[in-house]
Amino acid sequence: VVMAAARNVMRAVRVFEFGGPEVLKLQSDMLVPAPKENQVLIKVHACGVNPVETYIRSGTYARKPALPYTPGSDVAGVIESVGKHVTAFKKGDRVFTLETLSGGYAEYAVAAANRVFPLPDKLDFRQGAAIGVPYFTAYRALFQKGCAKAGETVLVHGASGGVGIAACQIARACGLKVLGTAGTEEGMNMILRNGAHQAFNHRDPNYTEKIKACTGPGGVDIIMEMLSNVNLDADLQLVSSAGRVMAVGSRGRIEINPRDAMNKECSIIGVCLFLATEEETRECATAILDGIEAGWLKPVVGLEYPLEKVAKAHEDIICSSGARGKMVLLL
């Protein structure tokens, strides 16, 4: 009886109040959730850490979950059980998710079956945990919102993180000329290995001039902007006439001169994966699964942390000197 009872509990990270990384509490006596009719229960092997999870935890993000909650959406693992209406998956299947219902920073997570996808054997669980938010966001920004076309030039501003590497791989596979920025030599080499034709160090005071020299007077057709509160003003100098700046990430406010946008009739377009329709999500999923099969979609895993070091992970994803792939929690 004791063993049976023990199997029904799990370790999970809980947030009881909004605040700094210290509000992430590891609990070892959480009940394992049960999947409803259109849901699956996943035994989590790895869970991705995304910057947005730190904004939600701090209470500064537009979407605030009801307290207490378990953070995390991008899990990879094995199906433990399925709801009675689920036919696409069975116990033992390797899968990855785009989002969970119960939270991903846990040993088990419940997800809607239509937010779960098969994880091919060629990718490990760490890589599986690096697909969801980064690749779906990158595809949505480039094609659903940015209307990218083969032959156009894209600048991925902050290309060495999860979304940045995803954007480089997708854009390169789809025939765009890819420029990327990173903050370290290692980051620049990484983005060149993952689809960028050219890399620039955004810590170099003259890096925007070097990008202008590379693109010529035409400028960049699409800019994928991970840190809008720092770079948006510079982006408006780099973007082409009728170009698009995709605001994928931001950590605060910035002052810009609207005339810079008027003179080029360029657009600043906000991107939020959570607003994707069912149809848009299916389109992203199809493109991403095709990319895995074709072999060009290869998630790059960066720093790895055990679940008990989750607060350190949240600290490092915001304060590190330069991203090197997708950060993951290992269970």
Side-chain angles (χ1 to χ4, degrees):
V1 176
V2 173
M3 276 184 69
R7 277 204 301 274
N8 289 330
V9 299
M10 64 171 184
R11 295 185 310 144
V13 173
R14 301 291 279 168
V15 175
F16 294 92
E17 58 179 324
F18 296 115
E22 70 283 354
V23 303
L24 297 160
K25 305 290 185 195
L26 183 58
Q27 311 267 290
S28 54
D29 56 353
M30 293 291 298
L31 284 178
V32 175
K36 298 199 173 112
E37 50 196 29
N38 291 309
Q39 298 171 356
V40 299
L41 177 67
I42 300 166
K43 183 171 184 1
V44 179
H45 285 250
C47 180
V49 180
N50 297 292
V52 69
E53 288 145 24
T54 71
Y55 313 152
I56 294 170
R57 181 216 70 228
S58 69
T60 60
Y61 196 63
R63 288 166 63 254
K64 281 195 187 69
L67 295 167
Y69 77 98
T70 295
S73 58
D74 301 348
V75 309
V78 175
I79 297 283
E80 179 73 18
S81 61
V82 301
K84 63 180 179 185
H85 292 170
V86 177
T87 54
F89 300 103
K90 63 184 186 310
K91 182 175 167 67
D93 286 351
R94 286 163 46 94
V95 293
F96 72 92
T97 63
L98 175 58
E99 60 182 311
T100 66
L101 296 164
S102 58
Y105 295 8
E107 289 177 325
Y108 291 89
V110 164
N114 65 353
R115 290 290 188 272
V116 176
F117 308 96
L119 179 65
D121 289 338
K122 64 170 88 167
L123 298 181
D124 63 30
F125 291 119
R126 293 151 53 255
Q127 291 173 303
I131 300 170
V133 169
Y135 283 87
F136 280 74
T137 298
Y139 184 87
R140 178 169 178 76
L142 281 165
F143 298 103
Q144 293 178 341
K145 295 293 164 189
C147 304
K149 294 181 184 63
E152 288 191 311
T153 301
V154 60
L155 168 64
V156 184
H157 220 156
S160 62
V163 179
I165 285 172
C168 288
Q169 290 179 355
I170 294 171
R172 180 65 178 255
C174 294
L176 282 89
K177 182 179 180 185
V178 185
L179 312 178
T181 76
T184 64
E185 198 67 37
E186 190 186 349
M188 288 167 69
N189 289 331
M190 179 182 283
I191 63 185
L192 288 169
R193 288 196 303 272
N194 283 283
H197 290 89
Q198 280 186 267
F200 303 87
N201 189 329
H202 51 222
R203 296 185 199 279
D204 172 353
N206 300 319
Y207 84 99
T208 54
E209 296 310 314
K210 290 178 180 171
I211 294 172
K212 283 179 188 167
C214 172
T215 60
V220 182
D221 300 300
I222 302 173
I223 297 178
M224 293 277 287
E225 185 47 72
M226 313 302 163
L227 201 56
S228 307
N229 57 300
V230 172
N231 300 321
L232 190 57
D233 191 46
D235 292 337
L236 294 177
Q237 319 302 318
L238 294 170
V239 74
S240 66
S241 187
R244 293 85 78 199
V245 180
M246 313 309 299
V248 175
S250 183
R251 297 180 189 171
R253 304 174 73 86
I254 186 172
E255 191 173 304
I256 60 166
N257 182 350
R259 198 171 290 283
D260 292 335
M262 291 154 60
N263 290 342
K264 294 178 176 176
E265 292 193 331
C266 64
S267 311
I268 300 166
I269 303 169
V271 180
C272 180
L273 182 58
F274 302 116
L275 297 179
T277 63
E278 194 61 44
E279 194 181 352
E280 286 172 331
T281 302
R282 273 201 304 273
E283 182 198 333
C284 287
T286 304
I288 285 159
L289 293 170
D290 283 354
I292 295 172
E293 202 179 321
W296 56 256
L297 193 157
K298 288 201 186 91
V300 176
V301 177
L303 296 169
E304 302 171 7
Y305 299 80
L307 204 52
E308 43 283 358
K309 292 271 171 31
V310 63
K312 181 85 172 89
H314 267 224
E315 209 172 290
D316 290 351
I317 201 167
I318 296 301
C319 304
S320 74
S321 62
R324 295 180 303 282
K326 173 72 185 236
M327 183 182 282
V328 296
L329 298 172
L330 298 180
L331 288 100

